[in-house]
């Protein structure tokens, strides 16, 4: 079950009447390749060994960088193209699901009207598959049909990639979304209809030398650098120290073991350990409803028009929240786990936590969404089935 908070930004605006400033949807500047710099200096092999990555021929390393747009600290998405000639779409790169989908030209839902729509008849490389497709997210669902075409992500061309063309997106979940579709980066076991995920095809087609991708998310929605998704490696300019590697415990989501969760230095939740997923497609940090209710009380959050709000003037006095993962602390202060909004010249601080009960056998699960990932650069290593975490550079 996927609990994706795709349109929380819309829900918050409607529920509380808060006005949000828009972020320009423009391509962002790509960075110089760290791999090229290190190789020129003869330091590349040492670099990979120092960070615990196994590779026999680092000189043949392939990487590509996909810039991300930060939409109000709630959604991060980038551009891909499908077909020949290319048809462009913005997609959320989602480590909590495994399918790629974009709206079809045949979609009749209101949600498709304001978004780019794929036109199969205009692509010379398109192949119809015809398998019915249906997927349910936490705040939306869609149905469609499977097709196949080439997919291009920042210069990487993935051939014969199966993807879903949505023909029905009911409800309001995707109507005002800042993105057209979703590109899943979780394990193949989560893929609907047994479709091979995009990153698996990248690996199979030898488009990346290392089976690794990494995610950086900006903490400033007004920044010119919204974030970066790097296929084939990671960028040390986006984090401090060294990566700490955490084993994946279940190969579906990017699921890991959490030792405990502390509030103000005292273990408050997950006393005997618990499971969590690192999910770029979820805006907030979520957990079992009973725990989140206690957490909201601890930080002094009160319900206002259905949203959990804290006094912005109290942030400096609010306790730190620490996830102990593989023996190491990952601490978020109040500024990190709250979202500041403005209405009528006044500032409001919203809690970055939300209750979410995922039933067994999949759950219960905590979801370490964008609120967490903004603070901790995240590397997803399919070759060794592990997640690398390190403090992100603001």
């Amino acid at each position: 079950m996927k609990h994706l908070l795709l349109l929380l930004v819309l829900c918050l605006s409607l529920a509380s009447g808060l006005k949000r400033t828009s972020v320009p949807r423009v391509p962002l500047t790509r960075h110089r390749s760290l791999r090229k710099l290190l190789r020129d200096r003869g330091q590349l092999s040492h670099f990979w060994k120092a960070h615990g990555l196994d590779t026999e021929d680092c000189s043949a390393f392939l990487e590509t960088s996909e810039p991300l747009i930060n939409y109000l600290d709630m959604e991060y998405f980038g551009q891909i193209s499908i077909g020949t000639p290319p048809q462009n779409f913005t997609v959320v790169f989602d480590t909590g699901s495994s399918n790629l989908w974009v709206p079809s030209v045949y979609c009749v839902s209101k949600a498709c009207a304001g978004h780019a729509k794929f036109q199969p008849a205009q692509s010379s490389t398109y192949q119809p598959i015809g398998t019915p497709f249906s997927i349910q997210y936490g705040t939306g669902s869609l149905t469609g049909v499977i097709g196949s075409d080439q997919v291009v992500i920042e210069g990487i061309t993935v051939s014969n990639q199966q993807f879903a063309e949505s023909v029905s997106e009911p409800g309001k979940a995707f109507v005002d979304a800042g993105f057209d579709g979703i590109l899943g980066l979780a394990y193949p076991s989560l893929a609907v209809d047994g479709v091979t995920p995009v990153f698996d095809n990248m690996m199979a087609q030898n488009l990346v030398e290392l089976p690794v991708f990494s995610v950086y998310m900006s903490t400033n929605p007004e920044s010119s650098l919204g974030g970066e998704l790097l296929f084939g490696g990671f960028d040390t300019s986006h984090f401090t120290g060294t990566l700490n590697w955490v084993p994946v415990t279940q190969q579906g989501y990017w699921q890991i073991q959490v030792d405990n969760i502390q509030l103000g230095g005292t273990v408050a939740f997950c006393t005997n350990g618990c499971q969590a997923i690192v999910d770029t497609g979820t805006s907030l940090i979520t957990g079992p409803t009973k725990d989140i209710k206690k957490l909201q009380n601890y930080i002094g959050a009160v319900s206002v028009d259905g949203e959990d709000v804290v006094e912005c003037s109290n942030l400096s006095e609010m306790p730190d929240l620490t996830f102990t993962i593989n023996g190491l602390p990952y601490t978020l202060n109040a500024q990190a786990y709250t979202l500041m909004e403005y209405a009528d010249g006044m500032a409001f601080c919203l809690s970055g936590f939300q209750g979410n009960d995922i039933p067994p056998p999949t759950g219960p699960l905590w979801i370490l969404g964008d609120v967490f990932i903004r603070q901790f650069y995240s590397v997803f290593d399919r070759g060794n089935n592990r997640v690398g975490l390190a403090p992100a550079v603001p």
Side-chain angles (χ1 to χ4, degrees):
M1 180 183 296
K2 178 68 178 75
H3 289 260
L4 185 66
L5 307 178
L6 292 174
L7 256 294
L8 183 58
V9 61
L10 173 63
C11 297
L12 292 175
S13 298
L14 294 176
S16 60
L18 301 178
K19 298 183 183 296
R20 298 169 177 267
T21 57
S22 61
V23 177
R25 294 179 57 182
V26 296
L28 304 179
T29 302
R30 292 177 60 187
H31 290 284
R32 291 185 63 194
S33 169
L34 175 67
R35 183 262 306 173
K36 292 179 181 178
L37 292 175
L38 290 173
R39 186 172 62 183
D40 291 343
R41 298 172 185 171
Q43 299 173 341
L44 186 59
S45 178
H46 172 75
F47 170 79
W48 288 117
K49 291 178 181 177
H51 288 280
L53 287 176
D54 299 321
T55 176
E56 295 180 356
D57 184 10
C58 292
S59 64
F61 176 70
L62 303 175
E63 66 176 24
T64 192
S65 155
E66 167 72 19
L68 302 179
I69 297 171
N70 177 355
Y71 185 69
L72 308 171
D73 275 353
M74 299 299 288
E75 298 162 358
Y76 294 78
F77 43 84
Q79 182 172 283
I80 67 170
S81 68
I82 303 175
T84 308
Q87 301 177 39
N88 294 331
F89 302 90
T90 54
V91 295
V92 170
F93 293 95
D94 177 25
T95 59
S97 67
S98 299
N99 287 86
L100 167 62
W101 67 265
V102 295
S104 167
V105 68
Y106 302 111
C107 180
V108 296
S109 300
K110 182 179 179 181
C112 296
H115 292 99
K117 293 178 283 292
F118 181 71
Q119 303 186 51
Q122 294 188 8
S123 173
S124 61
T125 47
Y126 174 79
Q127 294 292 330
I129 303 298
T131 306
F133 177 85
S134 177
I135 193 167
Q136 175 71 50
Y137 297 103
T139 55
S141 63
L142 59 96
T143 57
V145 64
I146 300 293
S148 176
D149 211 327
Q150 71 174 23
V151 173
V152 179
I153 307 173
E154 281 296 307
I156 291 183
T157 301
V158 183
S159 302
N160 302 314
Q161 176 63 52
Q162 292 191 11
F163 65 101
E165 307 161 55
S166 73
V167 296
S168 177
E169 300 177 18
K172 299 180 179 180
F174 300 114
V175 172
D176 293 314
F179 53 87
D180 302 314
I182 294 174
L183 191 155
L185 291 169
Y187 282 81
S189 61
L190 287 188
V192 175
D193 292 337
V195 171
T196 301
V198 172
F199 191 65
D200 285 76
N201 275 330
M202 282 188 185
M203 293 187 291
Q205 296 174 25
N206 296 316
L207 301 176
V208 287
E209 184 70 19
L210 292 178
V212 172
F213 63 90
S214 53
V215 177
Y216 164 76
M217 292 182 172
S218 166
T219 58
N220 181 5
E222 301 296 338
S223 170
S224 60
L225 177 63
E228 181 183 73
L229 169 65
L230 186 66
F231 289 106
F234 53 84
D235 188 341
T236 56
S237 70
H238 289 319
F239 65 89
T240 60
T242 59
L243 291 165
N244 300 310
W245 295 103
V246 186
V248 168
T249 56
Q250 185 76 25
Q251 296 176 25
Y253 301 111
W254 286 92
Q255 185 170 324
I256 59 176
Q257 170 81 13
V258 174
D259 302 334
N260 59 60
I261 301 173
Q262 301 176 31
L263 197 63
T266 302
V267 175
F269 311 104
C270 188
T271 305
N272 298 314
C274 57
Q275 294 291 299
I277 63 175
V278 185
D279 186 0
T280 59
T282 294
S283 301
L284 306 182
I285 291 175
T286 80
T289 299
K290 63 180 180 61
D291 290 338
I292 296 298
K293 284 183 178 179
K294 292 179 181 179
L295 179 54
Q296 305 287 29
N297 288 334
Y298 282 143
I299 66 174
V302 296
S303 180
V304 178
D305 293 331
E307 303 300 332
D308 293 297
V309 180
V310 299
E311 290 286 346
C312 294
S313 59
N314 292 340
L315 293 186
S316 61
E317 302 173 6
M318 290 164 56
D320 291 346
L321 182 75
T322 299
F323 292 87
T324 306
I325 302 173
N326 207 20
L328 296 175
Y330 296 84
T331 299
L332 294 83
N333 61 25
Q335 287 80 8
Y337 64 68
T338 56
L339 301 169
M340 185 171 290
E341 311 293 341
Y342 296 91
D344 299 325
M346 297 179 62
F348 295 84
C349 289
L350 305 179
S351 166
F353 307 114
Q354 188 173 66
N356 184 13
D357 292 315
I358 303 175
T362 303
L365 288 174
W366 286 75
I367 300 180
L368 306 180
D370 298 349
V371 166
F372 181 88
I373 298 170
R374 272 195 293 274
Q375 304 303 315
F376 299 102
Y377 187 79
S378 301
V379 182
F380 302 85
D381 183 354
R382 280 289 300 276
N384 295 293
N385 295 312
R386 59 185 182 172
V387 176
L389 299 171
V393 173

